[in-house]
Amino acid sequence: MTGNIRLLSDTLARAKSEDRAALIAYLPAGFPTVDGGIEAIKAVFDGGADVVEVGLPHSDPVLDGPVIQTADDIALRGGVRIADVMRTVREAHTATGKPVLVMTYWNPIDRYGVERFTAELAEAGGAGCILPDLPVQESELWREHADKHGLATVFVVAPSSRDERLAEITAAGSGFVYAASLMGVTGTRESVGAQAQDLVGRTRAGTEMPVCVGLGVSNAEQAAEVAGFADGVIVGSAFVKRLLDAEDHEAGFSAVRALAAELAEGVRKR
């Protein structure tokens, strides 16, 4: 195991050794600005996040809810580019020494060039990539370059995934498995749903990789619920909403730091 995938794996293993779930936060690059996005990630790490996923803003984020769509639109109107995403990863990782991944749809990587993207992400200190819309059977080129550069390839599984499909996905992935706890787009929910626990159990049956649950957690109580059966709790929309609702950037950074602290406490109550 090479590169920052080791840092990611060690971070998740350390959380497990502490008998808790890891807290994984999502924030899009370029939101509220490129510099502001970097500061927001630092604030989330400062609050207690173990890992951060940096979103690569996309003009058609079909799997994201309205909160993240709004943030992506702000970032894109601000002119964010892949170079800004790489800078965000580099500065956030360098400042904190913690694992930073990129979450992106496949199309921007395909246009940019797989070798170029993986080489730049590794050089920036990135731990890997979450690719929610890349089918496993079409992922060989990506995985070849990701492996060469020591990057994790995180695939997403859903409640609709059959057991044989779960086995195929987990065999191809690395780092951790992203389990989508509820069907449909991302966003906060009043309840994380019972589907998630069943999905985690079925996924774990075919892999020793950590299984981390995303889509819907917005407070410490929900984080504790998910931490009771998952290796990691992924939170995105709740952080983005704190930034959107803030009266200025500094207030937004304080708000996401406070939310991270609340959620970090929640994942310790498994």
Side-chain angles (χ1 to χ4, degrees):
M1 193 182 296
T2 59
N4 282 322
I5 185 175
R6 180 178 292 277
L7 175 62
L8 173 64
S9 297
D10 288 350
T11 298
L12 295 173
R14 185 168 59 252
K16 184 176 182 179
S17 74
E18 295 171 0
D19 194 31
R20 66 175 179 89
L23 174 59
I24 302 175
Y26 167 93
L27 286 167
F31 171 74
T33 62
V34 175
D35 288 343
I38 293 166
E39 290 306 311
I41 293 169
K42 291 178 185 176
V44 166
F45 273 134
D46 187 47
D50 298 290
V51 179
V52 166
E53 305 169 4
V54 175
L56 195 161
H58 194 271
S59 56
D60 187 26
V62 293
L63 298 176
D64 295 305
V67 171
I68 291 173
Q69 287 184 21
T70 298
D72 276 6
D73 184 57
I74 290 168
L76 290 167
R77 284 192 281 114
V80 70
R81 296 289 182 267
I82 287 180
D84 299 310
V85 178
M86 298 299 179
R87 180 188 155 212
T88 299
V89 171
R90 178 182 294 105
E91 295 197 16
H93 171 65
T94 300
T96 65
K98 295 184 178 179
V100 182
L101 300 103
V102 168
M103 186 169 190
T104 178
Y105 295 94
W106 177 245
N107 184 255
I109 295 178
D110 194 35
R111 289 203 313 265
Y112 197 71
V114 177
E115 169 58 22
R116 181 184 178 194
F117 189 94
T118 52
E120 290 183 6
L121 181 56
E123 190 277 328
C129 221
I130 301 163
L131 301 160
D133 68 336
L134 178 63
V136 170
Q137 62 269 24
E138 298 174 20
S139 68
E140 187 175 351
L141 177 66
W142 163 266
R143 287 186 286 127
E144 176 189 329
H145 289 288
D147 289 347
K148 182 170 82 171
H149 292 292
L151 299 171
T153 297
V154 179
F155 289 115
V156 178
V157 298
S160 58
S161 303
R162 297 181 181 274
D163 289 351
E164 57 269 27
R165 177 71 174 157
L166 290 176
E168 183 184 4
I169 292 170
T170 56
S174 55
F176 65 91
V177 183
Y178 188 129
S181 67
L182 292 157
M183 299 294 285
V185 299
T186 63
T188 57
R189 306 296 203 285
E190 287 300 313
S191 171
V192 294
Q195 295 181 310
Q197 191 162 1
D198 174 68
L199 176 58
V200 170
R202 291 195 297 121
T203 304
R204 277 186 177 150
T207 184
E208 293 185 359
M209 273 193 296
V211 182
C212 303
V213 172
L215 312 192
V217 169
S218 59
N219 57 47
E221 183 181 5
Q222 291 175 341
E225 182 184 345
V226 174
F229 57 82
D231 299 298
V233 180
I234 302 169
V235 182
S237 294
F239 282 115
V240 175
K241 192 172 189 304
R242 293 285 179 105
L243 290 172
L244 283 170
D245 291 347
E247 59 186 33
D248 56 42
H249 290 181
E250 288 302 324
F253 304 151
S254 295
V256 295
R257 185 182 295 107
L259 178 59
E262 176 190 339
L263 295 167
E265 188 175 338
V267 300
R268 286 164 170 79
K269 293 179 178 177
R270 58 189 298 169

